[in-house]
Amino acid sequence: MVVARGDLQQLLDALTAQGYQVLGPRVRDGAIQYDELSSLADLPIGWTDRQDGGFYRLEKRDDEALFGYVVGPSSWKRFLHPPTVTLWRSRRTEEGFELVESPQDPPKYAFFGVRPCELHAISIQDRVFLQGPYVDPIYRSRRAGIFVVAVNCGQAGGTCFCTSMGTGPRARKGFDLALTELLGPERHEFVVEVGSPAGAEILAQVAHRPATPEDRARVAEIEAETSRQMGRQMETAGLKELLYTNLEHPRWEEVASRCLTCANCTMVCPTCFCTTVEDVTDLTGQEAERRRLWDSCFTMEFSYMHGGSVRSSARSRYRQWMTHKLATWQDQFDVIGCVGCGRCITWCPVGIDITQEVAAIRGEPVT
Amino acid sequence: MPTRRQRPKLAVWKFASCDGCQLSLLDCEDELLAVADAVEIAYFPEATRAVVRGPYDVSLVEGSITTPHDAERIRQVRKASRFLVTIGACATAGGIQALRNFQDVEEFITLVYAQPQYIETLERSTPIAEHVFVDFELRGCPINKMQLLEVVNAYLNGRKPNIPTYSVCLECKRQGNLCVMVAHGTPCLGPVTQAGCGALCPAYDRGCYACFGPQDSPNTGSLAHWWQTRLDVPRDDLVRAFRGFNAYAEPFRKESEAHEQ
């Protein structure tokens, strides 16, 4: 189906009318970040992003594209797996203590503008939180009701490598509706693909026309053009074995000399899921609560056991992160933990590049 | 759980400092009554002239050691205290006054004072832990009052305080702050600085000034290299950046010295 630019607001209205809180990309503080959308006018219309290792800038486009950029620092993880959550509260009693219910009542979210790499990231977190022996009830309750409007990428960013990871630039599944923006001197339309009955129901409330063979051909062309623009690439063949057989490679020491162990890569990664818990009390010791916070394998305390940290060096922490993401993740979850979104490259304050680290360990020349 | 028939006695001591950190305790307006209920404020000249004799269960120590008299007095404080917690950059790193550690103090004295013979001072401003055993160091310039409450709270409840030693970046990212270094090209010390302030400056579009001192595994050399090569920060500015409130904290001291012409 095809929806005209002028009718797309109806999609947002239909979602709002069904009680969804619509979240999508907006310009905030000089970057594209996910936030509440009340109308299409909130989107970063006519903006694009220039990205490189440790570098991100917004720039004006010479058109009025709604989705003419890629991903910013925040991912949908923020909403499905929030940075801080109270797990439970308790109160002291005569006999011991009692738990105080803290009901989790997440809003009904519609994610508007989810990129194909991000859909894959969500499906990876689904495996981690929902499909293992221990289900995370917080993730489950937030994930259950979401409506996903995916957007296929019409251009790739400087640190993108989704084609290497097989996660984009076009969404194949995991959405209710998927949009491809068709933009030309004479036209501004969206090809809409329906991915679920809920998607069909919403689309029925939006003015649309059937897609022509030319429209479909244009969608395929856009996918091919975007694929050719990837700013980065990573060879994934034999990746697991490569890393398992190179645990003592001198490159780990080299990257450790640059790594700040600041944890930014893990915070922006849409699949990194580690958390820590801390217990807090009131001054009188009558009430206590346990909080869960995003944590990172780059902190010293992350691997603290009696007597000290197991991974006290930056070398061991970087190696842990990268081998987990690309190799042990496969043993653990049957999938590579990286979706090629490029966030860890862009948001590393010193531009450490996971694709270059892989290339270096392969023995390929790196810049 | 500890029974609390008697409230623990709390003392607040001052050495070379601006008073800002101990003021944080008085700034706990909403919580102050609860604190006063939970502990006996036994010695706190900034708040009250009433003094309860020691020994004290908990001593909060503000300020650095800068005179021979300080060096003697801190030993007395240690003797009178069961738990000794240092609060703020002066007490934990020597403070802004540790800038003199990089210069000749005699020269300052003769320049500043008309009667320099009355000035009795040490060559360096040093943290409390260089003189006596410290049970816990609470960083910051000034300290974060919520962290101070957390330390008191943890002590009262017999648990470890939740005071992380990782970088400011975790606070920024959890809060959803945009990275000012990557997105704006603003030099920021957050990646090498310990969390605790709630990423205050980056939240207002400024780079971090490292008020909370070095994080537990700071790679200052890599950050400085990036500032120089990508953000065009001159060497003099690099020296100044690392010579702030925590100038004499070892990783910062070494980094600033490495860039001194």
Side-chain angles (χ1 to χ4, degrees):
Chain A
M1 300 296 166
V2 175
V3 174
R5 162 69 179 89
D7 295 327
L8 197 65
Q9 176 65 39
Q10 295 170 21
L11 176 54
L12 227 70
D13 296 341
L15 289 167
T16 309
Q18 289 224 346
Y20 287 106
Q21 182 186 336
V22 184
L23 302 170
R26 295 186 71 148
V27 173
R28 179 155 58 85
D29 305 331
I32 287 162
Q33 312 206 51
Y34 298 138
D35 222 325
E36 223 168 307
L37 293 182
S38 53
S39 97
L40 283 190
D42 293 335
L43 290 171
I45 298 170
W47 286 100
T48 193
D49 44 11
R50 194 150 55 87
Q51 302 196 32
D52 202 346
F55 182 89
Y56 180 101
R57 292 291 185 279
L58 281 187
E59 287 172 0
K60 271 299 205 188
R61 296 170 61 94
D62 50 14
D63 60 24
E64 294 292 296
L66 265 48
F67 299 103
Y69 41 84
V70 288
V71 294
S74 62
S75 71
W76 305 99
K77 174 170 93 170
R78 174 165 295 280
F79 304 102
L80 297 176
H81 177 52
T84 54
V85 192
T86 298
L87 296 177
W88 49 261
R89 293 175 217 275
S90 64
R91 196 178 296 130
R92 195 185 288 281
T93 60
E94 295 280 305
E95 300 80 38
F97 67 93
E98 61 177 8
L99 289 183
V100 185
E101 288 290 322
S102 44
Q104 303 282 338
D105 197 13
K108 193 172 145 190
Y109 288 129
F111 292 172
F112 194 88
V114 184
R115 301 296 178 159
C117 60
E118 301 186 297
L119 285 177
H120 277 263
I122 293 170
S123 82
I124 288 171
Q125 290 215 320
D126 286 351
R127 284 184 197 228
V128 173
F129 290 126
L130 304 177
Q131 290 160 22
Y134 306 104
V135 170
D136 179 340
I138 297 164
Y139 184 87
R140 184 180 54 196
S141 69
R142 291 176 160 260
R143 174 77 172 93
I146 64 164
F147 187 97
V148 174
V149 181
V151 171
N152 294 323
C153 292
Q155 67 182 54
T159 55
C160 287
F161 56 105
C162 66
T163 46
S164 299
M165 308 316 288
T167 59
R170 185 175 169 188
R172 304 283 172 198
K173 58 176 185 183
F175 53 82
D176 295 292
L177 295 172
L179 312 179
T180 305
E181 187 166 23
L182 304 183
L183 194 63
E186 301 290 307
R187 75 187 304 194
H188 196 174
E189 289 178 307
F190 295 85
V191 176
V192 185
E193 209 177 318
V194 176
S196 73
E201 201 183 305
I202 289 285
L203 185 62
Q205 299 167 52
V206 180
H208 61 271
R209 64 166 175 86
T212 63
E214 289 73 30
D215 294 327
R216 288 194 204 97
R218 186 66 200 124
V219 170
E221 273 169 35
I222 287 173
E223 181 185 1
E225 286 161 15
T226 306
S227 296
R228 283 193 294 272
Q229 294 169 3
M230 295 290 144
R232 297 290 198 276
Q233 55 172 322
M234 186 194 287
E235 176 56 70
T236 57
L239 195 49
K240 194 169 86 174
E241 295 70 25
L242 174 81
L243 295 177
Y244 284 172
T245 52
N246 281 291
L247 295 176
E248 301 301 329
H249 197 284
R251 183 69 181 189
W252 301 120
E253 201 59 64
E254 195 283 331
V255 68
S257 72
R258 289 176 285 136
C259 177
L260 302 172
T261 64
C262 63
N264 273 301
C265 48
T266 53
M267 297 286 115
V268 295
C269 177
T271 68
C272 272
F273 55 79
C274 286
T275 51
T276 184
V277 288
E278 58 182 36
D279 293 335
V280 267
T281 45
D282 70 344
L283 279 171
T284 62
Q286 294 306 302
E287 290 183 17
E289 67 176 63
R290 176 162 291 180
R291 292 179 192 151
R292 188 180 79 178
L293 305 129
W294 280 358
D295 201 7
S296 170
C297 51
F298 280 92
T299 72
M300 186 76 89
E301 205 173 77
F302 186 83
S303 65
Y304 185 88
M305 306 215 287
H306 53 87
S309 284
V310 175
R311 291 188 282 269
S312 57
S313 68
R315 172 183 181 268
S316 61
R317 285 181 242 168
Y318 189 86
R319 183 179 63 182
Q320 157 65 23
W321 175 68
M322 194 169 115
T323 48
H324 184 220
K325 188 86 8 196
L326 301 177
T328 51
W329 202 295
Q330 297 189 51
D331 292 332
Q332 200 178 359
F333 303 111
D334 212 22
V335 65
I336 294 183
C338 172
V339 297
C341 70
R343 284 185 178 92
C344 61
I345 306 172
T346 300
W347 299 98
C348 172
V350 292
I352 293 173
D353 182 339
I354 192 171
T355 65
Q356 286 206 350
E357 297 315 311
V358 168
I361 286 174
R362 282 194 190 280
E364 290 163 8
V366 291
T367 48
Chain B
M1 291 302 290
T3 50
R4 254 183 267 125
R5 262 162 294 163
Q6 228 181 342
R7 289 178 305 160
K9 282 157 78 178
L10 177 89
V12 183
W13 308 91
K14 176 186 158 64
F15 288 83
S17 59
C18 77
D19 281 40
C21 289
Q22 50 175 308
L23 199 58
S24 304
L25 189 56
L26 293 175
D27 274 344
C28 297
E29 287 134 356
D30 295 337
E31 302 85 4
L32 199 55
L33 288 176
V35 172
D37 227 23
V39 299
E40 180 185 9
I41 294 178
Y43 179 80
F44 190 5
E46 186 166 278
T48 170
R49 279 185 297 173
V51 171
V52 180
R53 282 167 61 93
Y56 306 98
D57 294 294
V58 185
S59 276
L60 303 177
V61 177
E62 176 194 273
S64 69
I65 303 299
T66 57
T67 66
H69 178 236
D70 284 348
E72 178 48 35
R73 193 161 59 96
I74 189 60
R75 278 190 279 277
Q76 300 306 320
V77 170
R78 176 70 266 191
K79 269 186 201 154
S81 313
R82 212 170 130 234
F83 275 89
L84 192 155
V85 177
T86 50
I87 58 169
C90 299
T92 61
I96 192 73
Q97 61 273 27
L99 286 177
R100 76 176 190 205
N101 302 2
F102 300 92
Q103 308 292 336
D104 180 7
V105 174
E106 286 304 315
E107 204 178 322
F108 284 153
I109 294 171
T110 48
L111 277 173
V112 172
Y113 298 98
Q115 303 282 335
Q117 66 272 28
Y118 294 117
I119 303 299
E120 200 181 357
T121 189
L122 295 170
E123 233 171 87
R124 296 179 306 139
S125 165
T126 46
I128 301 298
E130 268 197 31
H131 300 266
V132 295
F133 177 79
V134 170
D135 293 283
F136 193 81
E137 290 192 318
L138 187 64
R139 303 268 198 86
C141 186
I143 54 167
N144 174 337
K145 69 171 187 177
M146 298 317 288
Q147 283 203 325
L148 178 63
L149 278 174
E150 168 61 14
V151 170
V152 173
N153 184 328
Y155 170 79
L156 290 170
N157 288 290
R159 62 176 175 83
K160 182 172 166 266
N162 296 309
I163 305 290
T165 55
Y166 48 60
S167 76
V168 173
C169 301
L170 276 97
E171 291 189 315
C172 261
K173 288 295 186 285
R174 285 184 193 141
Q175 283 167 210
N177 293 346
L178 185 68
C179 179
V180 296
M181 203 159 110
V182 170
H184 302 164
T186 305
C188 177
L189 287 165
V192 297
T193 301
Q194 179 171 307
C197 60
L200 204 52
C201 291
Y204 290 95
D205 266 0
R206 304 188 71 156
C208 167
Y209 293 94
C211 304
F212 280 59
Q215 58 124 314
D216 57 25
S217 53
N219 189 344
T220 52
S222 172
L223 186 73
H225 180 73
W226 190 267
W227 280 24
Q228 275 188 300
T229 55
R230 303 300 183 101
L231 307 180
D232 299 324
V233 173
R235 289 183 74 158
D236 286 351
D237 288 0
L238 263 180
V239 174
R240 275 191 284 271
F242 285 103
R243 279 193 194 160
F245 319 109
N246 290 281
Y248 208 57
E250 191 175 314
F252 291 175
R253 173 176 65 77
K254 284 186 171 163
E255 196 57 43
S256 72
E257 283 170 349
H259 299 282
E260 223 164 9
Q261 314 261 359

